[in-house]
Amino acid sequence: MSNNIKNNQLYIGGVSAQDLAKTYQTPLYVMDEDKIRSQCQLFPKYFKSQEIQTETIYASKAFLSLAMCQLIQSEGLSLDVVSGGELYTAFHAGFPMDKVYFHGNNKSIDELKLALTYQVGTIVIDHPDEVLTLIKLIPENQKVNVMLRINPGIEAHTHEYIQTTHNDSKFGISIYDDKTMLCIKEIQQSKSLVFKGFHSHIGSQIFEEQSFIEHAQTVLKYIHNVYEKTGIIVQEMNLGGGFGAHYTDEDKPFDLRSFLPELLKNIQQTSKNLKIKAPKVLIEPGRSIVAEAGYTLYTIGGTKKTTSGKQYVFVDGSMADHMRTALYQAKYDAVIANRMNEEATSTYTVAGKACESGDIIIKNIKLPNPNINDILVVKTTGAYHYSMSSNYNRLTRPAVVLVKNGQSKLIVQRETYQDLIRNDLKLEG
Ligand code: LLP
């Protein structure tokens, strides 16, 4: 473990959390490089089979910066982007554009043009209108690889905001809709589109292996169905991301090292039963690569006991840098980094400094009696924290630091007050 305790202090990637707080100030996002890399390496190692071609694509919406793109590139993974901004970041990091998958249920014309200019590897079409829009934009003689996002109607057990393939989802077109076949034919017949296959994603923070197996089997059956009805052989199947991470001990993520080979075996067997050649299988993990590598460091500014006895700990961050508790009622674990050996004696609610009652970081957590200037470290904040942060209350976004072997490196600077007014324009006079 690159995260341990020495002299009553928490160390992350060999660096004391208290020293990180002193050097870079708080709130601060800290990412453990070894943990990110070992998660990246797990996929090529276990998501492979003799019979089936595979590819792992990092879903950059979980956490993206120039340095993160470089890290993903050095680990040999591909990249999923979902906006012009993510695409632009990847391009400016020097990420190989042929390994980029461009998603989105309503890509703008400008975003599509940017993707065509950069010559991204694959565009994932989300609905029939996008086929026409894209064909019109593609310059003569340019061919573009596309996948079609389908909705296989699998209901994964996770928070409803992060389920994606229930029947009324805004993403993809349903395999139970006859228009989908027409859309596939239209793509297949276009001179400028190269149809690679289907994409689908059933949701995020999922703990049931069975949901993924059922998902793969449903898509394979559809691939078989498409072949029977149109003669089109679907070469590739992208199953999206969604593997759960450990936030608190209530979470029981399954072991990807045993699950991934199992998934491929099942795909091979199902294909055999359906008498189709197993397609190339792609996956798009985001959270499972970065979530547990991330920590948020806060300085405690004070405590308060309400008349009813509720005990608050106030920290110098807020829902602006930690959105998931307010949005999904997500649960987190935390420690006081400079008092690791002290017993957690009472239960506290950790609240931020934003002007909103819902600005809660952790609802109930046992901690040692907190003191002003103690460093509170919230765990598992590597995914969807920095990427979902905001400037609510004109709070500046924290810096991001990468730690490894006792060394730290700033990879995203802390925002300044000047950054906050950079785009503001004054009235005349
Ligand atoms: N591929 C597609 C098409 C996706 O929409 C997503 C996530 C992923 C891959 C990656 O899923 P992951 O492996 O990270 O579960 N903001 C929410 C999560 C939204 C996920 C959106 N799509 C949260 O904080 O829980």
PDB file of all heavy atoms in Angstrom, residues 59 61-62 80 103 149 161-162 164 171 199-201 203-206 238 240-243 247 284-288 324 327-328 383-384 388, ligand 1:
ATOM      1  N   ALA A  59     -12.456   6.272 -19.373  1.00  0.00           N
ATOM      2  CA  ALA A  59     -13.540   7.267 -19.484  1.00  0.00           C
ATOM      3  C   ALA A  59     -13.093   8.547 -18.791  1.00  0.00           C
ATOM      4  O   ALA A  59     -13.132   8.663 -17.565  1.00  0.00           O
ATOM      5  CB  ALA A  59     -14.814   6.730 -18.846  1.00  0.00           C
ATOM      6  N   LYS A  61     -14.204  11.417 -18.314  1.00  0.00           N
ATOM      7  CA  LYS A  61     -15.104  12.264 -17.515  1.00  0.00           C
ATOM      8  C   LYS A  61     -14.851  12.053 -16.024  1.00  0.00           C
ATOM      9  O   LYS A  61     -15.174  12.908 -15.217  1.00  0.00           O
ATOM     10  CB  LYS A  61     -16.568  11.986 -17.870  1.00  0.00           C
ATOM     11  CG  LYS A  61     -17.082  10.651 -17.423  1.00  0.00           C
ATOM     12  CD  LYS A  61     -18.207  10.155 -18.309  1.00  0.00           C
ATOM     13  CE  LYS A  61     -17.611   9.613 -19.601  1.00  0.00           C
ATOM     14  NZ  LYS A  61     -18.583   9.083 -20.536  1.00  0.00           N
ATOM     15  N   ALA A  62     -14.272  10.920 -15.644  1.00  0.00           N
ATOM     16  CA  ALA A  62     -14.018  10.659 -14.226  1.00  0.00           C
ATOM     17  C   ALA A  62     -12.967  11.620 -13.675  1.00  0.00           C
ATOM     18  O   ALA A  62     -13.114  12.159 -12.572  1.00  0.00           O
ATOM     19  CB  ALA A  62     -13.571   9.214 -14.018  1.00  0.00           C
ATOM     20  N   ASP A  80     -11.882   7.858 -23.772  1.00  0.00           N
ATOM     21  CA  ASP A  80     -13.269   8.238 -24.091  1.00  0.00           C
ATOM     22  C   ASP A  80     -13.445   9.701 -23.724  1.00  0.00           C
ATOM     23  O   ASP A  80     -13.148  10.101 -22.604  1.00  0.00           O
ATOM     24  CB  ASP A  80     -14.194   7.283 -23.304  1.00  0.00           C
ATOM     25  CG  ASP A  80     -15.510   7.858 -22.785  1.00  0.00           C
ATOM     26  OD1 ASP A  80     -15.858   9.009 -23.100  1.00  0.00           O
ATOM     27  OD2 ASP A  80     -16.197   7.138 -22.050  1.00  0.00           O
ATOM     28  N   HIS A 103     -17.885  10.503 -27.567  1.00  0.00           N
ATOM     29  CA  HIS A 103     -19.267  10.214 -27.192  1.00  0.00           C
ATOM     30  C   HIS A 103     -20.084  11.490 -27.046  1.00  0.00           C
ATOM     31  O   HIS A 103     -19.545  12.581 -27.056  1.00  0.00           O
ATOM     32  CB  HIS A 103     -19.295   9.564 -25.799  1.00  0.00           C
ATOM     33  CG  HIS A 103     -18.765   8.190 -25.756  1.00  0.00           C
ATOM     34  ND1 HIS A 103     -19.563   7.100 -25.903  1.00  0.00           N
ATOM     35  CD2 HIS A 103     -17.504   7.723 -25.563  1.00  0.00           C
ATOM     36  CE1 HIS A 103     -18.824   6.011 -25.795  1.00  0.00           C
ATOM     37  NE2 HIS A 103     -17.573   6.352 -25.594  1.00  0.00           N
ATOM     38  N   ARG A 149     -24.583   3.942 -30.480  1.00  0.00           N
ATOM     39  CA  ARG A 149     -24.929   3.673 -29.078  1.00  0.00           C
ATOM     40  C   ARG A 149     -26.346   3.104 -29.007  1.00  0.00           C
ATOM     41  O   ARG A 149     -27.301   3.734 -29.453  1.00  0.00           O
ATOM     42  CB  ARG A 149     -24.850   4.950 -28.244  1.00  0.00           C
ATOM     43  CG  ARG A 149     -25.169   4.655 -26.785  1.00  0.00           C
ATOM     44  CD  ARG A 149     -24.607   5.660 -25.863  1.00  0.00           C
ATOM     45  NE  ARG A 149     -24.892   5.293 -24.488  1.00  0.00           N
ATOM     46  CZ  ARG A 149     -24.417   5.930 -23.435  1.00  0.00           C
ATOM     47  NH1 ARG A 149     -23.621   6.957 -23.605  1.00  0.00           N
ATOM     48  NH2 ARG A 149     -24.717   5.554 -22.224  1.00  0.00           N
ATOM     49  N   TYR A 161     -29.808   8.358 -10.758  1.00  0.00           N
ATOM     50  CA  TYR A 161     -29.168   9.398 -11.566  1.00  0.00           C
ATOM     51  C   TYR A 161     -28.026   8.833 -12.404  1.00  0.00           C
ATOM     52  O   TYR A 161     -27.598   9.455 -13.364  1.00  0.00           O
ATOM     53  CB  TYR A 161     -28.583  10.515 -10.686  1.00  0.00           C
ATOM     54  CG  TYR A 161     -29.584  11.392  -9.987  1.00  0.00           C
ATOM     55  CD1 TYR A 161     -30.946  11.114 -10.030  1.00  0.00           C
ATOM     56  CD2 TYR A 161     -29.166  12.513  -9.288  1.00  0.00           C
ATOM     57  CE1 TYR A 161     -31.846  11.921  -9.373  1.00  0.00           C
ATOM     58  CE2 TYR A 161     -30.069  13.329  -8.622  1.00  0.00           C
ATOM     59  CZ  TYR A 161     -31.411  13.019  -8.666  1.00  0.00           C
ATOM     60  OH  TYR A 161     -32.299  13.812  -8.005  1.00  0.00           O
ATOM     61  N   ILE A 162     -27.466   7.694 -11.982  1.00  0.00           N
ATOM     62  CA  ILE A 162     -26.338   7.158 -12.747  1.00  0.00           C
ATOM     63  C   ILE A 162     -26.655   5.821 -13.413  1.00  0.00           C
ATOM     64  O   ILE A 162     -25.773   5.117 -13.863  1.00  0.00           O
ATOM     65  CB  ILE A 162     -25.022   7.122 -11.907  1.00  0.00           C
ATOM     66  CG1 ILE A 162     -25.234   6.541 -10.506  1.00  0.00           C
ATOM     67  CG2 ILE A 162     -24.419   8.490 -11.793  1.00  0.00           C
ATOM     68  CD1 ILE A 162     -23.971   6.470  -9.655  1.00  0.00           C
ATOM     69  N   THR A 164     -28.159   4.143 -16.765  1.00  0.00           N
ATOM     70  CA  THR A 164     -28.192   4.747 -18.097  1.00  0.00           C
ATOM     71  C   THR A 164     -29.006   3.990 -19.123  1.00  0.00           C
ATOM     72  O   THR A 164     -29.245   4.513 -20.198  1.00  0.00           O
ATOM     73  CB  THR A 164     -26.765   4.957 -18.639  1.00  0.00           C
ATOM     74  OG1 THR A 164     -25.869   4.208 -17.857  1.00  0.00           O
ATOM     75  CG2 THR A 164     -26.359   6.380 -18.604  1.00  0.00           C
ATOM     76  N   PHE A 171     -29.972   8.266 -23.436  1.00  0.00           N
ATOM     77  CA  PHE A 171     -28.804   7.799 -24.193  1.00  0.00           C
ATOM     78  C   PHE A 171     -29.137   6.649 -25.140  1.00  0.00           C
ATOM     79  O   PHE A 171     -29.801   5.679 -24.759  1.00  0.00           O
ATOM     80  CB  PHE A 171     -27.705   7.316 -23.237  1.00  0.00           C
ATOM     81  CG  PHE A 171     -27.165   8.386 -22.344  1.00  0.00           C
ATOM     82  CD1 PHE A 171     -27.483   8.411 -20.998  1.00  0.00           C
ATOM     83  CD2 PHE A 171     -26.336   9.378 -22.846  1.00  0.00           C
ATOM     84  CE1 PHE A 171     -26.989   9.397 -20.164  1.00  0.00           C
ATOM     85  CE2 PHE A 171     -25.832  10.370 -22.026  1.00  0.00           C
ATOM     86  CZ  PHE A 171     -26.160  10.380 -20.678  1.00  0.00           C
ATOM     87  N   HIS A 199     -22.158   0.415 -29.155  1.00  0.00           N
ATOM     88  CA  HIS A 199     -21.718   0.846 -27.834  1.00  0.00           C
ATOM     89  C   HIS A 199     -22.933   0.837 -26.915  1.00  0.00           C
ATOM     90  O   HIS A 199     -24.042   1.184 -27.339  1.00  0.00           O
ATOM     91  CB  HIS A 199     -21.142   2.260 -27.888  1.00  0.00           C
ATOM     92  CG  HIS A 199     -20.881   2.808 -26.515  1.00  0.00           C
ATOM     93  ND1 HIS A 199     -21.863   3.418 -25.766  1.00  0.00           N
ATOM     94  CD2 HIS A 199     -19.784   2.765 -25.741  1.00  0.00           C
ATOM     95  CE1 HIS A 199     -21.366   3.734 -24.585  1.00  0.00           C
ATOM     96  NE2 HIS A 199     -20.103   3.350 -24.546  1.00  0.00           N
ATOM     97  N   SER A 200     -22.728   0.462 -25.669  1.00  0.00           N
ATOM     98  CA  SER A 200     -23.783   0.632 -24.668  1.00  0.00           C
ATOM     99  C   SER A 200     -23.120   0.672 -23.299  1.00  0.00           C
ATOM    100  O   SER A 200     -21.986   0.199 -23.129  1.00  0.00           O
ATOM    101  CB  SER A 200     -24.807  -0.503 -24.741  1.00  0.00           C
ATOM    102  OG  SER A 200     -24.159  -1.737 -24.825  1.00  0.00           O
ATOM    103  N   HIS A 201     -23.805   1.277 -22.368  1.00  0.00           N
ATOM    104  CA  HIS A 201     -23.236   1.485 -21.016  1.00  0.00           C
ATOM    105  C   HIS A 201     -24.405   1.438 -20.052  1.00  0.00           C
ATOM    106  O   HIS A 201     -25.364   2.183 -20.219  1.00  0.00           O
ATOM    107  CB  HIS A 201     -22.536   2.849 -21.002  1.00  0.00           C
ATOM    108  CG  HIS A 201     -22.209   3.374 -19.642  1.00  0.00           C
ATOM    109  ND1 HIS A 201     -21.078   2.994 -18.952  1.00  0.00           N
ATOM    110  CD2 HIS A 201     -22.849   4.262 -18.834  1.00  0.00           C
ATOM    111  CE1 HIS A 201     -21.043   3.625 -17.786  1.00  0.00           C
ATOM    112  NE2 HIS A 201     -22.107   4.400 -17.692  1.00  0.00           N
ATOM    113  N   GLY A 203     -24.586   1.924 -16.684  1.00  0.00           N
ATOM    114  CA  GLY A 203     -24.641   2.761 -15.480  1.00  0.00           C
ATOM    115  C   GLY A 203     -23.308   2.729 -14.768  1.00  0.00           C
ATOM    116  O   GLY A 203     -22.326   2.194 -15.287  1.00  0.00           O
ATOM    117  N   SER A 204     -23.289   3.313 -13.574  1.00  0.00           N
ATOM    118  CA  SER A 204     -22.022   3.506 -12.883  1.00  0.00           C
ATOM    119  C   SER A 204     -22.138   3.023 -11.444  1.00  0.00           C
ATOM    120  O   SER A 204     -23.241   2.951 -10.898  1.00  0.00           O
ATOM    121  CB  SER A 204     -21.719   5.001 -12.921  1.00  0.00           C
ATOM    122  OG  SER A 204     -20.363   5.245 -12.736  1.00  0.00           O
ATOM    123  N   GLN A 205     -20.998   2.723 -10.843  1.00  0.00           N
ATOM    124  CA  GLN A 205     -20.938   2.267  -9.441  1.00  0.00           C
ATOM    125  C   GLN A 205     -21.854   1.044  -9.258  1.00  0.00           C
ATOM    126  O   GLN A 205     -22.744   1.006  -8.400  1.00  0.00           O
ATOM    127  CB  GLN A 205     -21.303   3.435  -8.502  1.00  0.00           C
ATOM    128  CG  GLN A 205     -21.183   3.178  -7.006  1.00  0.00           C
ATOM    129  CD  GLN A 205     -19.755   2.875  -6.537  1.00  0.00           C
ATOM    130  OE1 GLN A 205     -18.830   2.716  -7.327  1.00  0.00           O
ATOM    131  NE2 GLN A 205     -19.546   2.741  -5.253  1.00  0.00           N
ATOM    132  N   ILE A 206     -21.601   0.028 -10.089  1.00  0.00           N
ATOM    133  CA  ILE A 206     -22.414  -1.195 -10.078  1.00  0.00           C
ATOM    134  C   ILE A 206     -21.607  -2.312  -9.396  1.00  0.00           C
ATOM    135  O   ILE A 206     -20.425  -2.487  -9.674  1.00  0.00           O
ATOM    136  CB  ILE A 206     -22.776  -1.589 -11.538  1.00  0.00           C
ATOM    137  CG1 ILE A 206     -23.643  -0.475 -12.144  1.00  0.00           C
ATOM    138  CG2 ILE A 206     -23.497  -2.931 -11.603  1.00  0.00           C
ATOM    139  CD1 ILE A 206     -23.822  -0.585 -13.624  1.00  0.00           C
ATOM    140  N   ASN A 238     -18.767  -2.409 -27.632  1.00  0.00           N
ATOM    141  CA  ASN A 238     -18.213  -1.626 -26.525  1.00  0.00           C
ATOM    142  C   ASN A 238     -19.233  -1.651 -25.392  1.00  0.00           C
ATOM    143  O   ASN A 238     -20.358  -1.195 -25.547  1.00  0.00           O
ATOM    144  CB  ASN A 238     -17.950  -0.191 -27.015  1.00  0.00           C
ATOM    145  CG  ASN A 238     -17.339   0.699 -25.946  1.00  0.00           C
ATOM    146  OD1 ASN A 238     -17.522   0.466 -24.749  1.00  0.00           O
ATOM    147  ND2 ASN A 238     -16.637   1.727 -26.358  1.00  0.00           N
ATOM    148  N   GLY A 240     -19.003  -0.187 -22.397  1.00  0.00           N
ATOM    149  CA  GLY A 240     -18.988   0.948 -21.476  1.00  0.00           C
ATOM    150  C   GLY A 240     -18.240   0.647 -20.190  1.00  0.00           C
ATOM    151  O   GLY A 240     -17.438  -0.294 -20.105  1.00  0.00           O
ATOM    152  N   GLY A 241     -18.524   1.452 -19.175  1.00  0.00           N
ATOM    153  CA  GLY A 241     -17.819   1.284 -17.887  1.00  0.00           C
ATOM    154  C   GLY A 241     -18.798   0.868 -16.808  1.00  0.00           C
ATOM    155  O   GLY A 241     -19.746   0.140 -17.080  1.00  0.00           O
ATOM    156  N   GLY A 242     -18.573   1.341 -15.584  1.00  0.00           N
ATOM    157  CA  GLY A 242     -19.552   1.118 -14.526  1.00  0.00           C
ATOM    158  C   GLY A 242     -19.089   0.297 -13.344  1.00  0.00           C
ATOM    159  O   GLY A 242     -19.852   0.115 -12.388  1.00  0.00           O
ATOM    160  N   PHE A 243     -17.850  -0.224 -13.365  1.00  0.00           N
ATOM    161  CA  PHE A 243     -17.398  -1.074 -12.253  1.00  0.00           C
ATOM    162  C   PHE A 243     -17.299  -0.252 -10.972  1.00  0.00           C
ATOM    163  O   PHE A 243     -16.725   0.829 -10.959  1.00  0.00           O
ATOM    164  CB  PHE A 243     -16.034  -1.703 -12.587  1.00  0.00           C
ATOM    165  CG  PHE A 243     -16.011  -2.355 -13.946  1.00  0.00           C
ATOM    166  CD1 PHE A 243     -15.110  -1.945 -14.918  1.00  0.00           C
ATOM    167  CD2 PHE A 243     -16.911  -3.368 -14.255  1.00  0.00           C
ATOM    168  CE1 PHE A 243     -15.098  -2.529 -16.174  1.00  0.00           C
ATOM    169  CE2 PHE A 243     -16.912  -3.961 -15.505  1.00  0.00           C
ATOM    170  CZ  PHE A 243     -16.007  -3.543 -16.469  1.00  0.00           C
ATOM    171  N   TYR A 247     -15.986   3.049  -1.421  1.00  0.00           N
ATOM    172  CA  TYR A 247     -16.015   4.356  -0.751  1.00  0.00           C
ATOM    173  C   TYR A 247     -16.037   4.157   0.759  1.00  0.00           C
ATOM    174  O   TYR A 247     -15.286   4.782   1.488  1.00  0.00           O
ATOM    175  CB  TYR A 247     -17.254   5.157  -1.187  1.00  0.00           C
ATOM    176  CG  TYR A 247     -17.147   5.689  -2.609  1.00  0.00           C
ATOM    177  CD1 TYR A 247     -17.377   4.865  -3.703  1.00  0.00           C
ATOM    178  CD2 TYR A 247     -16.796   7.013  -2.851  1.00  0.00           C
ATOM    179  CE1 TYR A 247     -17.267   5.344  -4.995  1.00  0.00           C
ATOM    180  CE2 TYR A 247     -16.681   7.506  -4.144  1.00  0.00           C
ATOM    181  CZ  TYR A 247     -16.921   6.662  -5.214  1.00  0.00           C
ATOM    182  OH  TYR A 247     -16.800   7.140  -6.489  1.00  0.00           O
ATOM    183  N   GLU A 284     -14.952   0.646 -21.006  1.00  0.00           N
ATOM    184  CA  GLU A 284     -14.613   2.051 -20.743  1.00  0.00           C
ATOM    185  C   GLU A 284     -14.635   2.380 -19.258  1.00  0.00           C
ATOM    186  O   GLU A 284     -15.472   3.157 -18.800  1.00  0.00           O
ATOM    187  CB  GLU A 284     -15.662   2.950 -21.410  1.00  0.00           C
ATOM    188  CG  GLU A 284     -15.487   3.108 -22.873  1.00  0.00           C
ATOM    189  CD  GLU A 284     -16.694   3.788 -23.519  1.00  0.00           C
ATOM    190  OE1 GLU A 284     -17.741   3.937 -22.867  1.00  0.00           O
ATOM    191  OE2 GLU A 284     -16.563   4.142 -24.678  1.00  0.00           O
ATOM    192  N   PRO A 285     -13.744   1.816 -18.475  1.00  0.00           N
ATOM    193  CA  PRO A 285     -13.757   2.137 -17.048  1.00  0.00           C
ATOM    194  C   PRO A 285     -13.292   3.566 -16.781  1.00  0.00           C
ATOM    195  O   PRO A 285     -12.339   4.042 -17.410  1.00  0.00           O
ATOM    196  CB  PRO A 285     -12.754   1.128 -16.466  1.00  0.00           C
ATOM    197  CG  PRO A 285     -11.834   0.811 -17.605  1.00  0.00           C
ATOM    198  CD  PRO A 285     -12.665   0.901 -18.853  1.00  0.00           C
ATOM    199  N   GLY A 286     -13.963   4.232 -15.880  1.00  0.00           N
ATOM    200  CA  GLY A 286     -13.534   5.563 -15.444  1.00  0.00           C
ATOM    201  C   GLY A 286     -13.267   5.492 -13.951  1.00  0.00           C
ATOM    202  O   GLY A 286     -12.119   5.456 -13.500  1.00  0.00           O
ATOM    203  N   ARG A 287     -14.349   5.364 -13.194  1.00  0.00           N
ATOM    204  CA  ARG A 287     -14.264   5.349 -11.732  1.00  0.00           C
ATOM    205  C   ARG A 287     -13.286   4.298 -11.204  1.00  0.00           C
ATOM    206  O   ARG A 287     -12.479   4.577 -10.318  1.00  0.00           O
ATOM    207  CB  ARG A 287     -15.655   5.048 -11.172  1.00  0.00           C
ATOM    208  CG  ARG A 287     -15.770   5.202  -9.676  1.00  0.00           C
ATOM    209  CD  ARG A 287     -17.087   4.650  -9.154  1.00  0.00           C
ATOM    210  NE  ARG A 287     -18.228   5.111  -9.891  1.00  0.00           N
ATOM    211  CZ  ARG A 287     -18.937   6.194  -9.590  1.00  0.00           C
ATOM    212  NH1 ARG A 287     -18.604   6.938  -8.563  1.00  0.00           N
ATOM    213  NH2 ARG A 287     -19.971   6.535 -10.328  1.00  0.00           N
ATOM    214  N   SER A 288     -13.357   3.075 -11.765  1.00  0.00           N
ATOM    215  CA  SER A 288     -12.531   2.006 -11.206  1.00  0.00           C
ATOM    216  C   SER A 288     -11.038   2.266 -11.427  1.00  0.00           C
ATOM    217  O   SER A 288     -10.201   1.659 -10.773  1.00  0.00           O
ATOM    218  CB  SER A 288     -12.938   0.650 -11.787  1.00  0.00           C
ATOM    219  OG  SER A 288     -12.973   0.715 -13.196  1.00  0.00           O
ATOM    220  N   ARG A 324     -20.721  14.980  -4.709  1.00  0.00           N
ATOM    221  CA  ARG A 324     -21.432  13.700  -4.795  1.00  0.00           C
ATOM    222  C   ARG A 324     -22.319  13.409  -3.580  1.00  0.00           C
ATOM    223  O   ARG A 324     -23.280  12.684  -3.682  1.00  0.00           O
ATOM    224  CB  ARG A 324     -20.448  12.549  -5.053  1.00  0.00           C
ATOM    225  CG  ARG A 324     -19.701  12.704  -6.386  1.00  0.00           C
ATOM    226  CD  ARG A 324     -18.912  11.468  -6.780  1.00  0.00           C
ATOM    227  NE  ARG A 324     -19.757  10.355  -7.167  1.00  0.00           N
ATOM    228  CZ  ARG A 324     -20.089   9.352  -6.396  1.00  0.00           C
ATOM    229  NH1 ARG A 324     -19.616   9.285  -5.147  1.00  0.00           N
ATOM    230  NH2 ARG A 324     -20.884   8.403  -6.818  1.00  0.00           N
ATOM    231  N   LEU A 327     -25.483  15.453  -4.286  1.00  0.00           N
ATOM    232  CA  LEU A 327     -26.186  15.025  -5.505  1.00  0.00           C
ATOM    233  C   LEU A 327     -26.710  13.594  -5.445  1.00  0.00           C
ATOM    234  O   LEU A 327     -27.802  13.314  -5.929  1.00  0.00           O
ATOM    235  CB  LEU A 327     -25.228  15.188  -6.688  1.00  0.00           C
ATOM    236  CG  LEU A 327     -25.816  15.138  -8.084  1.00  0.00           C
ATOM    237  CD1 LEU A 327     -26.887  16.203  -8.274  1.00  0.00           C
ATOM    238  CD2 LEU A 327     -24.726  15.338  -9.128  1.00  0.00           C
ATOM    239  N   TYR A 328     -25.925  12.694  -4.891  1.00  0.00           N
ATOM    240  CA  TYR A 328     -26.314  11.269  -4.912  1.00  0.00           C
ATOM    241  C   TYR A 328     -26.455  10.669  -3.521  1.00  0.00           C
ATOM    242  O   TYR A 328     -26.521   9.448  -3.387  1.00  0.00           O
ATOM    243  CB  TYR A 328     -25.261  10.427  -5.650  1.00  0.00           C
ATOM    244  CG  TYR A 328     -24.786  10.958  -6.966  1.00  0.00           C
ATOM    245  CD1 TYR A 328     -23.438  11.266  -7.161  1.00  0.00           C
ATOM    246  CD2 TYR A 328     -25.655  11.114  -8.035  1.00  0.00           C
ATOM    247  CE1 TYR A 328     -22.980  11.720  -8.377  1.00  0.00           C
ATOM    248  CE2 TYR A 328     -25.200  11.574  -9.261  1.00  0.00           C
ATOM    249  CZ  TYR A 328     -23.864  11.879  -9.427  1.00  0.00           C
ATOM    250  OH  TYR A 328     -23.403  12.331 -10.631  1.00  0.00           O
ATOM    251  N   ALA A 383     -12.510  10.075  -8.518  1.00  0.00           N
ATOM    252  CA  ALA A 383     -13.399  10.092  -9.687  1.00  0.00           C
ATOM    253  C   ALA A 383     -14.566  11.035  -9.458  1.00  0.00           C
ATOM    254  O   ALA A 383     -15.167  11.030  -8.378  1.00  0.00           O
ATOM    255  CB  ALA A 383     -13.931   8.683  -9.955  1.00  0.00           C
ATOM    256  N   TYR A 384     -14.883  11.813 -10.437  1.00  0.00           N
ATOM    257  CA  TYR A 384     -16.057  12.690 -10.431  1.00  0.00           C
ATOM    258  C   TYR A 384     -16.038  13.700  -9.280  1.00  0.00           C
ATOM    259  O   TYR A 384     -17.079  14.061  -8.744  1.00  0.00           O
ATOM    260  CB  TYR A 384     -17.352  11.857 -10.404  1.00  0.00           C
ATOM    261  CG  TYR A 384     -17.428  10.883 -11.566  1.00  0.00           C
ATOM    262  CD1 TYR A 384     -17.301   9.501 -11.361  1.00  0.00           C
ATOM    263  CD2 TYR A 384     -17.587  11.336 -12.863  1.00  0.00           C
ATOM    264  CE1 TYR A 384     -17.344   8.607 -12.428  1.00  0.00           C
ATOM    265  CE2 TYR A 384     -17.625  10.455 -13.934  1.00  0.00           C
ATOM    266  CZ  TYR A 384     -17.506   9.094 -13.710  1.00  0.00           C
ATOM    267  OH  TYR A 384     -17.541   8.223 -14.763  1.00  0.00           O
ATOM    268  N   MET A 388     -16.322  17.303 -11.485  1.00  0.00           N
ATOM    269  CA  MET A 388     -17.660  17.865 -11.263  1.00  0.00           C
ATOM    270  C   MET A 388     -17.598  19.100 -10.361  1.00  0.00           C
ATOM    271  O   MET A 388     -18.635  19.566  -9.874  1.00  0.00           O
ATOM    272  CB  MET A 388     -18.593  16.818 -10.643  1.00  0.00           C
ATOM    273  CG  MET A 388     -18.902  15.672 -11.586  1.00  0.00           C
ATOM    274  SD  MET A 388     -20.531  14.940 -11.327  1.00  0.00           S
ATOM    275  CE  MET A 388     -20.403  14.396  -9.675  1.00  0.00           C
TER     276      MET A 388
HETATM  277  N1  LLP B   1     -18.711   5.139 -20.726  1.00  0.00           N
HETATM  278  C1  LLP B   1     -19.802   5.914 -20.816  1.00  0.00           C
HETATM  279  C2  LLP B   1     -20.491   6.050 -22.079  1.00  0.00           C
HETATM  280  C3  LLP B   1     -20.276   6.598 -19.686  1.00  0.00           C
HETATM  281  O1  LLP B   1     -21.367   7.345 -19.792  1.00  0.00           O
HETATM  282  C4  LLP B   1     -19.571   6.468 -18.458  1.00  0.00           C
HETATM  283  C5  LLP B   1     -20.031   7.189 -17.273  1.00  0.00           C
HETATM  284  C6  LLP B   1     -18.431   5.662 -18.424  1.00  0.00           C
HETATM  285  C7  LLP B   1     -18.038   5.006 -19.572  1.00  0.00           C
HETATM  286  C8  LLP B   1     -17.622   5.477 -17.176  1.00  0.00           C
HETATM  287  O2  LLP B   1     -18.323   4.900 -16.141  1.00  0.00           O
HETATM  288  P1  LLP B   1     -17.573   4.524 -14.776  1.00  0.00           P
HETATM  289  O3  LLP B   1     -16.596   3.403 -15.067  1.00  0.00           O
HETATM  290  O4  LLP B   1     -16.848   5.735 -14.304  1.00  0.00           O
HETATM  291  O5  LLP B   1     -18.646   4.116 -13.851  1.00  0.00           O
HETATM  292  N2  LLP B   1     -21.075  11.637 -12.011  1.00  0.00           N
HETATM  293  C9  LLP B   1     -21.483  10.305 -11.597  1.00  0.00           C
HETATM  294  C10 LLP B   1     -21.067   9.261 -12.595  1.00  0.00           C
HETATM  295  C11 LLP B   1     -21.630   9.507 -13.962  1.00  0.00           C
HETATM  296  C12 LLP B   1     -21.140   8.479 -14.939  1.00  0.00           C
HETATM  297  C13 LLP B   1     -21.463   8.895 -16.307  1.00  0.00           C
HETATM  298  N3  LLP B   1     -21.007   7.999 -17.310  1.00  0.00           N
HETATM  299  C14 LLP B   1     -20.895  10.008 -10.213  1.00  0.00           C
HETATM  300  O6  LLP B   1     -20.213  10.844  -9.655  1.00  0.00           O
HETATM  301  O7  LLP B   1     -21.169   8.937  -9.652  1.00  0.00           O
END
